[in-house]
Amino acid sequence: MSSCEIFFQTLGCKVNQYESEAMLKLFEAAGYEIAEEISSADVVVINTCTVTAVSSQKSRQMIRRAAGANKNSVLVVVGCYAQSEPEEISKIEGVDIIIGTKDRTRIVEFVEAALKNRGEKILQVGNVADIKSFEELPHTPHRTRAFLKIEDGCNNFCSYCIIPYVRGRVRSRSLESIRAECLQLKATGFKEIVLTGIHIGAYGRDFQEKISLVDAVKTVLDAANPLRLRLGSLESAEMSDELIELIKSDGRICNHVHLPLQSGSDEILKAMRRPYTTKNFAALTARLVKEISGISIGTDLIVGFPGETDENFSETINFIQSQPFSKIHVFPFSARAGTVAATLPNQISSQIKKARAGLALEISREKVKNFSEKLLGKTVEIIAETSTDGIVDGLTRNYVRVYTPDKNIRLGEVIKVKVDKIFKDGLLGELK
């Protein structure tokens, strides 16, 4: 169906971005072309997120805007919000197809059926408990950094989290499949690969043979031999000695980790069903700073969890101030229907959550500034990622965004920049 144009909009995490790129490739293989504007598209795909109530709201708003912007297109809603609220989505006028977090490989089939039979809705949302294996999606990155999805699902069932209910349990991608995509990435010339998944630290747990994230990392390093390999978000309890030693010994692995903390109060961590204490967490970050030069450590923090007292929050503030974080993503607690935390007593008011989030964000901004300032006067290496208004930007190995005037720099090019000032969300410098 070569005359059709398709338009994608994606909300949420790097996994969603990967999956959108993969679905787009399926359409391109079927002869579809990319529409520059939503108004000219024959097919519009909204890849949704539902990790928080705000994410769900944004997904609903995007669906409604798409339906209003192009009433003649086939409108497809896919992903986590589609999995969690298919009935709600089906009430939105203009939605033709709803696909959850499985059967994305059949999206072209569903679209072509809808194009032939306009007016008939297609609902393809199954039970995630029935998903037993990793869904292979053909993938070609559309960015200078290549995301590589190695796993889906999560077994943790933290008391606040909806994700296991919309993504299912851990399903790992085979090492053979990882190797095959890495060979393609190498042939295409990608210099940085970012490992992604819902719970990559649990990679291999669903296999009978003894395989772990370390095996996946070694496979990528061997097959793709990237200039950089960046790890996605990892649980602190899953930073094994073997993984730390590998990061230390192989210079291709970026000195950057993201370790979700969620709370600095042991009482709240227990209520969240998190598998560590603040003592465990602090011991790990101290070790990482000591053993891995220049490492940046990002984290996530939830404030206003049910029952979080002023004392609990003070413990959290004191703890995050003591930690060597380079950035803190702060989220006010969002009650998700179907989770344990949504039913807990002593829910916190939105005003208190907002105030606590503000205090935590102040600390985050100071942490970002302090970490960035360590690079002032130094020459750093970045991979040119985007160019806007005559300024090119890219990330250092330890995840600081650096900007420099665009002097005919090709995107994807490795460049050296001498940084001399704080700028936007990172640093500014001159090309060396």
Side-chain angles (χ1 to χ4, degrees):
M1 203 166 283
S2 59
S3 61
C4 281
E5 292 191 349
I6 188 159
F7 188 88
F8 265 80
Q9 289 186 314
T10 303
L11 284 164
C13 63
K14 291 181 174 64
V15 175
N16 269 15
Q17 294 171 26
Y18 177 98
E19 289 166 351
S20 286
E21 290 173 350
M23 287 184 282
L24 182 57
K25 183 173 182 180
L26 290 171
F27 281 104
E28 289 176 330
Y32 288 68
E33 297 179 356
I34 301 173
E36 294 186 4
E37 302 288 341
I38 192 170
S39 58
S40 65
D42 300 288
V43 181
V44 176
V45 180
I46 310 295
N47 194 0
T48 60
C49 177
T50 193
V51 67
T52 66
V54 172
S55 301
S56 294
Q57 181 183 25
K58 288 181 178 179
S59 293
R60 286 192 299 273
Q61 291 171 343
M62 186 174 282
I63 295 164
R64 291 193 177 101
R65 281 199 298 267
N70 188 339
K71 296 182 183 296
N72 297 317
S73 68
V74 167
L75 179 55
V76 186
V77 180
V78 64
C80 292
Y81 181 60
Q83 181 69 44
S84 66
E85 299 292 343
E87 294 83 7
E88 188 73 22
I89 295 168
S90 66
K91 296 175 185 176
I92 300 175
E93 186 177 353
V95 175
D96 298 287
I97 303 171
I98 304 171
I99 306 171
T101 53
K102 59 179 289 190
D103 295 322
R104 274 82 53 96
T105 54
R106 298 177 63 194
I107 190 170
V108 176
E109 171 193 336
F110 298 139
V111 164
E112 297 195 345
L115 286 168
K116 290 177 183 176
N117 301 289
R118 297 307 304 267
E120 292 186 15
K121 286 196 175 184
I122 297 173
L123 179 63
Q124 190 72 21
V125 180
N127 187 343
V128 292
D130 297 333
I131 310 175
K132 304 300 182 184
S133 59
F134 183 87
E135 183 180 32
E136 296 281 354
L137 288 164
H139 181 248
T140 300
H142 289 243
R143 304 164 185 270
T144 53
R145 293 189 295 149
F147 297 141
L148 176 62
K149 183 182 172 185
I150 63 168
E151 177 274 343
D152 206 340
C154 181
N155 296 350
N156 278 358
F157 290 91
C158 297
S159 64
Y160 54 83
C161 188
I162 192 69
I163 296 304
Y165 301 98
V166 296
R167 284 281 181 171
R169 289 185 171 270
V170 168
R171 288 101 59 202
S172 302
R173 188 176 186 176
S174 72
L175 293 177
E176 293 76 15
S177 176
I178 292 172
R179 178 177 292 277
E181 184 166 336
C182 283
L183 291 174
Q184 293 175 355
L185 294 175
K186 182 179 182 180
T188 309
F190 281 94
K191 298 180 178 68
E192 180 173 325
I193 295 174
V194 184
L195 292 194
T196 190
I198 300 300
H199 184 188
I200 66 171
Y203 176 85
R205 289 184 187 172
D206 52 321
F207 292 151
Q208 289 187 344
E209 58 268 50
K210 191 176 180 181
I211 291 176
S212 71
L213 177 60
V214 168
D215 297 290
V217 170
K218 288 180 177 178
T219 297
V220 175
L221 292 171
D222 178 60
N225 189 24
L227 178 68
R228 296 180 182 176
L229 174 60
R230 196 178 297 278
L231 302 179
S233 182
L234 281 165
E235 293 292 350
S236 58
E238 292 157 358
M239 285 290 294
S240 66
D241 291 344
E242 189 178 8
L243 181 60
I244 293 171
E245 288 302 316
L246 185 59
I247 296 171
K248 285 169 55 179
S249 63
D250 197 308
R252 293 171 293 180
I253 305 176
C254 292
N255 52 343
H256 161 238
V257 293
H258 188 87
L259 306 174
L261 169 65
Q262 308 303 12
S263 177
S265 163
D266 287 334
E267 182 180 351
I268 298 300
L269 286 175
K270 185 176 180 180
M272 288 178 166
R273 297 183 178 175
R274 300 292 287 170
Y276 52 83
T277 64
T278 52
K279 182 179 180 181
N280 301 145
F281 194 97
L284 173 63
T285 57
R287 177 184 176 185
L288 293 174
V289 169
K290 180 180 179 181
E291 298 187 17
I292 302 174
S293 176
I295 191 169
S296 66
I297 303 173
T299 197
D300 296 330
L301 187 72
I302 296 172
V303 297
F305 187 83
E308 183 186 64
T309 64
D310 289 343
E311 182 181 355
N312 295 145
F313 182 65
S314 293
E315 290 173 347
T316 291
I317 289 297
N318 291 335
F319 187 75
I320 62 174
Q321 285 177 325
S322 73
Q323 288 299 289
F325 294 133
S326 57
K327 188 171 186 177
I328 305 169
H329 297 279
V330 181
F331 303 92
F333 169 75
S334 179
R336 312 303 290 127
T339 64
V340 171
T343 65
L344 291 176
N346 301 315
Q347 297 283 328
I348 307 298
S349 72
S350 58
Q351 293 90 342
I352 292 176
K353 287 191 284 190
K354 183 177 180 180
R356 289 178 179 176
L359 289 172
L361 282 169
E362 284 182 19
I363 295 171
S364 177
R365 285 189 285 269
E366 189 66 22
K367 295 273 188 185
V368 170
K369 181 174 177 289
N370 290 343
F371 190 84
S372 298
E373 285 178 341
K374 294 177 184 178
L375 297 180
L376 289 175
K378 296 182 179 180
T379 297
V380 298
E381 183 180 89
I382 65 171
I383 300 173
E385 194 170 330
T386 63
S387 179
T388 307
D389 298 328
I391 299 288
V392 166
D393 69 275
L395 293 168
T396 63
R397 287 179 176 270
N398 57 357
Y399 213 70
V400 176
R401 190 160 294 279
V402 172
Y403 299 82
T404 190
D406 188 348
K407 298 178 180 178
N408 298 316
I409 297 168
R410 298 187 311 276
L411 296 186
E413 182 181 353
V414 180
I415 58 175
K416 293 184 182 298
V417 178
K418 185 174 182 180
V419 293
D420 53 20
K421 65 178 66 175
I422 300 291
F423 181 74
K424 292 186 177 181
D425 57 344
L427 297 164
L428 178 70
E430 289 293 327
L431 196 65
K432 292 290 288 183

